Amino acid sequence: MDCFAICENRYCGVLGRPCSGKSCGFHKTKKEQEESLEKANARLRSLPEYQQEAIAVKYYGGVRKW
């Protein structure tokens, strides 16, 4: 299986249950996941400073991880 969330024990790291393969709604390759994260980070970087700061404080302990 080439899913980004699959663990050694064939459990889904997102759902915490056995992997259901490509029929899973969370199934993505590692490359697709990296692209998705970069797109999200680009969106965060495009926000005004005050919004970035508010998001960083609320969800990331004040650190901008993007």
Side-chain angles (χ1 to χ4, degrees), residues 1-54:
M1 185 62 46
D2 64 343
C3 184
F4 80 99
I6 194 80
C7 298
E8 301 90 35
N9 59 3
R10 308 258 329 134
Y11 266 67
C12 176
V14 174
L15 300 175
R17 62 181 188 211
C19 177
S20 59
K22 292 189 178 193
S23 63
C24 175
F26 290 99
H27 182 271
K28 291 184 195 174
T29 65
K30 291 179 191 227
K31 184 175 187 223
E32 289 171 330
Q33 178 64 3
E34 289 171 7
E35 291 169 353
S36 178
L37 288 174
E38 180 49 40
K39 184 176 177 183
N41 288 339
R43 170 71 175 117
L44 287 168
R45 288 189 299 270
S46 75
L47 294 172
E49 288 293 318
Y50 75 92
Q51 285 182 321
Q52 289 188 51
E53 184 64 27

